[in-house]
């Protein structure tokens, strides 16, 4: 009986260790660039019509670019938000991106706020998991 309990404990520990190392598909590293995808990370970050996922590209502690993913925002307002805010983080350090308040776009406030929240989530995730 004691051998069975020890075997079960070893199996349980192995499963815990394996699941801890399982990739969560939130962040990948390609050619020295970390890419943080907020699709699942920011699933509760809502713009005007729903989630506003994006990818944040980070190299050497600086944001290289932000890629906006498919969403359900009103196209007119989404374009206005993206056009206004898209390059605001380019070249910014991760530390600054966590604390700096980037101006949004009047008329697309919900979308801009969601973008800013997703960027903050992405850089916080990067810092904890790089």
């Amino acid at each position: 009986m004691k051998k069975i309990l020890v075997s079960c404990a070893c199996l349980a520990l192995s499963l815990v260790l394996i699941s801890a190392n399982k990739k969560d598909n939130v962040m990948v590293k390609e050619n020295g660039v970390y890419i943080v995808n907020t699709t699942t990370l920011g699933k509760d970050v809502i713009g005007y019509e729903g989630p506003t996922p994006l990818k944040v590209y980070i190299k050497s502690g600086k944001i290289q670019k932000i890629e906006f993913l498919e969403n359900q925002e009103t196209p007119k307002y989404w374009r206005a938000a993206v056009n206004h805010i898209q390059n605001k983080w380019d070249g910014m350090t991760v530390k600054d991106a966590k604390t700096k308040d980037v101006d949004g776009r009047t008329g697309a406030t919900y979308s801009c706020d969601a973008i800013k929240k997703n960027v903050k989530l992405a850089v916080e995730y990067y810092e904890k998991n790089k």
Side-chain angles (χ1 to χ4, degrees):
M1 180 70 165
K2 191 174 185 178
K3 286 182 181 180
I4 293 173
L5 288 175
V6 170
S7 296
C8 288
C10 288
L11 177 61
L13 179 60
S14 296
L15 291 173
V16 167
L17 292 174
I18 288 169
S19 67
N21 289 326
K22 186 178 177 184
K23 291 193 174 206
D24 57 12
N25 294 320
V26 172
M27 184 166 68
V28 297
K29 186 176 181 182
E30 296 177 3
N31 302 319
V33 177
Y34 287 91
I35 305 166
V36 183
N37 184 328
T38 67
T39 299
T40 57
L41 185 65
K43 68 180 185 265
D44 295 328
V45 176
I46 306 299
Y48 188 74
E49 294 288 334
T52 54
L54 48 85
K55 290 182 181 179
V56 178
Y57 292 72
I58 303 168
K59 183 175 183 179
S60 301
K62 290 187 176 182
I63 295 175
Q64 301 296 298
K65 71 175 183 174
I66 296 179
E67 177 184 344
F68 299 92
L69 304 177
E70 188 174 325
N71 59 66
Q72 301 301 313
E73 295 294 274
T74 307
K76 173 183 172 183
Y77 296 107
W78 182 249
R79 278 191 306 277
V82 168
N83 289 338
H84 179 77
I85 207 167
Q86 182 168 20
N87 300 315
K88 300 282 185 174
W89 291 276
D90 291 1
M92 189 182 291
T93 65
V94 168
K95 182 180 177 182
D96 287 344
K98 283 177 31 181
T99 59
K100 186 174 182 181
D101 187 27
V102 173
D103 289 335
R105 166 84 160 72
T106 303
T109 305
Y110 290 106
S111 297
C112 285
D113 287 349
I115 290 168
K116 292 189 279 187
K117 287 177 187 174
N118 270 305
V119 170
K120 186 174 180 181
L121 278 175
V123 297
E124 288 173 348
Y125 187 90
Y126 163 80
E127 282 194 320
K128 290 178 186 172
N129 297 284
K130 63 179 175 186

